[in-house]
Amino acid sequence: MGQLAEPLPSTVSDEQQKQDNTTPIKEATTSEKIQLHIDEVTLKFPTSTGTDFTALDKVSMEVRENEFAVIVGPSGCGKSSLLYLTAGLNSPTDGEIKVAGKVVDGPSAERGMVFQGYTLFPWLSVSENIEFGLKQKKMPAPERKKIVQKYLKEVGLENFADRNPKQLSGGMKQRVAIARSLANDPEILLMDEPFGALDSQTRMQMQQLLLQVWEHSKKTVVFVTHDIDEAIMLGDRVFVMGARPGRIQKVLDVNIPHPRTLDMVMEPDFISLKREILSLLHDDLSEMH
Amino acid sequence: MSSKQVSFKQLTSPQEELPKKVVLGAGTLSWIVLLSSWFLLSASDLVPTMFLPSPMDVLSTGVRLAENGTLFEHMWASIQVVLIGFIVSSMLSIPLGMLMGSFKIVQAVLEPLVNFIRYLPVTSFVPLFILWIGIGIEQRVTVIFFGVFFQQLVMISDVSRGVSKDLLHAAYTLGTSRSKVVTQVIAPASLPGILDTLRVTIGWAWTYLVVAELVAATSGLGYISLKAMRGFQVDVIFLAIVIIGLLGLLTDQFFRVLRARLSAWAN
Ligand SMILES: Nc1ncnc2c1ncn2[C@@H]1O[C@H](COP(=O)(O)OP(=O)(O)O)[C@@H](O)[C@H]1O
Ligand SMILES: [Mg+2]
């Protein structure tokens, strides 16, 4: 709980390190309550050679209520696998995952997920997509309409309510996907490289939009990315993963206040964090060879 | 001609779109070529009229049979056979095909059997159907059913199996249960593909019509053309062929329009 940043590598001055450690880690809105509890989770896939492939090896992590947690790691290190396990779309070989105190044993509307690929239902309009989860809950129509309206506005798509997903740009599609998950008011929002397919301009816009939405909703978010800038831009804490087998190497606090802006990437705090994450990922890569 | 605006390069580039006018013109041209060759061939002495009637002969035979009412009686008999066979087949193959595409266990049970049966020629079963079912309309309907059902089953199960797993995952995380996912995601996502399958297979249903009416029928377009063969009335055979073709075209267009209406999102 309340993990502090571990000592930075020699590239960062001791002074700066002290500064980092003395700034308050917790934001006023982040509670001490643990919302996501991943306990020694191992995931193995059977292979044709007979020996199992270990995608995740005893991964443990905790995410606080209302926290924006980012998992960063190279492609293939098991980020998606970890999110799918958390969503309940797959079961761990070993270990346990709890969300809001309940053991995950299958998918549920309490664990919303935004996927890397576009997963809007193409036969439904934008507002019907957002309404989908509410209909599953058998919520009465007037209430549904109100919530749909709220989230359409939240992601800035009021004028696109009746469009078909096919008529939307990639960024708009992901905005609908975010709205669709949030409309369900889940206990946690899982995001698997949701901006990975977008061009860098759109991607930065989406990051800003997501931060705004998060500040309004104060959901617990677990956001997966392989983009270090994105990780620091968004996260309260960054969980740095390593590959083969997939594991959490280190947890870093991002002590950069909100609202975060695009020019933040030039600031020393940002750069030193980026350097640390880069070196962690780099060392992990070179160990493999 | 409208093709003036179209360059040679455009015509010879793979997958290049053409103006609508050119497409329509090309289609009309092939009909004109076919009909005029038919006309010229029947007007010349190359083929005896006994084997090749002129288009006008066929037309006047059509008018004659339409006036005394027999044409519609036979058309109606055939339409009934094809539609009943096709509808019964579709009503079974759509749910079963979706189950087969959704649940591996259903696929494992059905697929080996279906893949064996669907390559058996329908004609070889006609004697068996007559023994089992008799010579009523049920037998004719069975032939159509048998010709269409197993193909539909395989095609529809492929359509459902092709539904992106990501869509299912998204639905699960939005609170859809495993059983509901079939009706709420797999069914709507499969609809365009299912309508395509119906459009293709209704064409096949018409092609089995003459086989269905081969034996013991007392009415229908297949029946009158078989009777006409015995009486050397080539014009009637031609008439029956043309009408089957037109009815096939009509049902084809029906499904084309239905698909455009019901699943505009997939176009
Ligand atoms: N269904 C599966 N069967 C076998 N191996 C898999 C399966 N899914 C993922 N993997 C393997 O597990 C590792 C982690 O995958 P993934 O979680 O998708 O990584 P990431 O999202 O970090 O790119 C990869 O090496 C991948 O090949
Ligand atoms: Mg991934």
Side-chain angles (χ1 to χ4, degrees):
Chain A
M1 304 217 344
Q3 252 162 322
L4 296 176
E6 289 175 52
L8 299 172
S10 52
T11 45
V12 178
S13 72
D14 281 352
E15 231 173 56
Q16 184 169 2
Q17 185 194 327
K18 264 186 206 120
Q19 242 175 29
D20 280 356
N21 283 345
T22 47
T23 38
I25 276 84
K26 219 160 29 95
E27 295 195 333
T29 45
T30 307
S31 75
E32 283 297 335
K33 203 180 136 206
I34 299 298
Q35 185 73 347
L36 168 65
H37 197 108
I38 297 180
D39 190 20
E40 303 232 314
V41 160
T42 297
L43 179 68
K44 291 181 179 172
F45 289 113
T47 63
S48 48
T49 58
T51 50
D52 287 350
F53 170 75
T54 306
L56 294 170
D57 187 29
K58 292 199 173 167
V59 171
S60 294
M61 65 184 273
E62 285 178 346
V63 176
R64 299 180 205 111
E65 194 176 25
N66 306 334
E67 186 178 24
F68 200 123
V70 177
I71 299 176
V72 69
S75 189
C77 74
K79 304 182 297 294
S80 295
S81 301
L82 192 58
L83 273 200
Y84 273 66
L85 290 175
T86 309
L89 292 169
N90 194 4
S91 316
T93 313
D94 205 4
E96 191 177 72
I97 299 178
K98 279 192 213 159
V99 173
K102 290 164 291 197
V103 175
V104 172
D105 68 345
S108 125
E110 289 300 348
R111 276 159 271 122
M113 185 140 167
V114 178
F115 297 82
Q116 176 168 15
Y118 303 125
T119 59
L120 298 184
F121 304 119
W123 58 92
L124 299 179
S125 70
V126 165
S127 55
E128 287 167 336
N129 263 282
I130 300 176
E131 201 181 13
F132 186 89
L134 305 174
K135 273 193 168 165
Q136 308 293 306
K137 285 184 187 166
K138 305 216 160 34
M139 182 184 281
E143 254 179 276
R144 290 203 306 259
K145 295 279 172 270
K146 233 187 261 168
I147 296 178
V148 168
Q149 220 44 48
K150 176 183 165 191
Y151 283 100
L152 272 174
K153 199 167 168 214
E154 189 75 63
V155 297
L157 291 176
E158 299 119 301
N159 296 332
F160 294 84
D162 298 322
R163 293 283 185 97
N164 262 348
K166 251 202 172 161
Q167 301 168 293
L168 302 181
S169 68
M172 286 181 181
K173 283 182 196 167
Q174 292 305 64
R175 280 194 258 171
V176 180
I178 292 169
R180 182 175 70 173
S181 293
L182 286 176
N184 255 348
D185 193 24
E187 285 165 351
I188 194 167
L189 180 61
L190 309 168
M191 307 185 81
D192 188 8
E193 305 203 35
F195 310 146
L198 305 178
D199 63 83
S200 61
Q201 313 298 314
T202 312
R203 175 188 271 251
M204 286 190 286
Q205 281 173 9
M206 291 292 290
Q207 290 165 3
Q208 295 300 312
L209 178 115
L210 178 61
L211 283 177
Q212 269 174 34
V213 171
W214 173 71
E215 250 144 68
H216 295 164
S217 70
K218 279 298 173 195
K219 284 279 159 219
T220 312
V221 177
V222 180
F223 186 104
V224 156
T225 182
H226 63 259
D227 183 311
I228 300 174
D229 283 359
E230 183 167 79
I232 305 171
M233 178 65 80
L234 296 175
D236 289 332
R237 281 192 299 163
V238 177
F239 295 75
V240 185
M241 283 187 76
R244 292 171 191 278
R247 69 206 183 281
I248 306 276
Q249 290 195 71
K250 199 165 181 182
V251 188
L252 301 165
D253 289 288
V254 183
N255 294 309
I256 302 173
H258 290 270
R260 295 189 181 160
T261 49
L262 291 176
D263 47 10
M264 198 188 89
V265 293
M266 311 297 224
E267 281 170 26
D269 283 359
F270 191 101
I271 292 166
S272 69
L273 260 176
K274 185 171 177 177
R275 188 176 289 134
E276 172 162 23
I277 296 172
L278 262 174
S279 80
L280 281 167
L281 296 178
H282 180 82
D283 292 349
D284 186 59
L285 267 178
S286 31
E287 265 170 43
M288 278 166 50
H289 297 293
Chain B
M1 237 185 84
S2 52
S3 59
K4 246 184 254 167
Q5 313 128 313
V6 182
S7 68
F8 177 74
K9 193 178 158 199
Q10 213 177 339
L11 289 171
T12 54
S13 305
Q15 312 217 328
E16 186 70 30
E17 292 296 334
L18 290 175
K20 219 174 184 164
K21 265 191 197 163
V22 178
V23 175
L24 270 173
T28 314
L29 189 69
S30 57
W31 272 107
I32 291 173
V33 169
L34 178 80
L35 289 175
S36 53
S37 329
W38 178 13
F39 179 78
L40 289 175
L41 208 60
S42 62
S44 74
D45 292 335
L46 285 170
V47 187
T49 325
M50 202 174 90
F51 296 123
L52 187 71
S54 75
M56 283 80 75
D57 289 346
V58 174
L59 201 67
S60 65
T61 306
V63 172
R64 184 168 50 83
L65 293 182
E67 271 168 0
N68 71 20
T70 45
L71 181 62
F72 299 114
E73 182 196 318
H74 292 296
M75 271 172 70
W76 177 237
S78 291
I79 291 171
Q80 268 183 312
V81 168
V82 169
L83 288 192
I84 295 175
F86 180 78
I87 289 170
V88 171
S89 168
S90 306
M91 274 168 32
L92 292 172
S93 68
I94 292 171
L96 204 57
M98 284 204 313
L99 286 178
M100 212 170 139
S102 305
F103 300 102
K104 288 280 180 274
I105 181 66
V106 182
Q107 184 190 0
V109 170
L110 292 180
E111 199 169 61
L113 206 64
V114 171
N115 273 338
F116 171 69
I117 299 175
R118 79 181 177 123
Y119 290 113
L120 299 174
V122 179
T123 39
S124 62
F125 282 86
V126 172
L128 200 60
F129 292 155
I130 292 173
L131 273 180
W132 284 351
I133 310 170
I135 54 173
I137 186 175
E138 300 88 344
Q139 180 266 330
R140 275 164 273 160
V141 167
T142 306
V143 173
I144 304 289
F145 176 90
F146 207 83
V148 169
F149 176 75
F150 297 98
Q151 312 289 344
Q152 282 185 334
L153 198 56
V154 171
M155 290 165 82
I156 290 172
S157 79
D158 280 348
V159 166
S160 294
R161 197 168 310 114
V163 174
S164 153
K165 224 172 171 187
D166 285 346
L167 286 187
L168 302 189
H169 285 152
Y172 285 137
T173 60
L174 293 166
T176 315
S177 66
R178 274 178 308 176
S179 56
K180 283 258 174 73
V181 127
V182 178
T183 52
Q184 308 237 337
V185 181
I186 295 183
S190 303
L191 186 64
I194 289 176
L195 291 173
D196 285 339
T197 301
L198 294 185
R199 183 180 170 191
V200 171
T201 52
I202 190 126
W204 297 348
W206 285 107
T207 65
Y208 289 118
L209 179 67
V210 179
V211 175
E213 293 175 345
L214 200 59
V215 184
T218 52
S219 60
L221 295 166
Y223 161 77
I224 57 167
S225 62
L226 284 162
K227 208 176 76 173
M229 179 190 73
R230 290 182 206 116
F232 279 101
Q233 295 167 290
V234 199
D235 48 346
V236 176
I237 301 180
F238 266 76
L239 181 69
I241 293 173
V242 169
I243 290 179
I244 292 175
L246 288 176
L247 288 172
L249 193 66
L250 204 68
T251 50
D252 181 89
Q253 291 302 303
F254 169 76
F255 279 113
R256 204 176 64 87
V257 171
L258 196 68
R259 188 198 194 281
R261 283 278 165 83
L262 291 185
S263 47
W265 57 268
N267 296 328

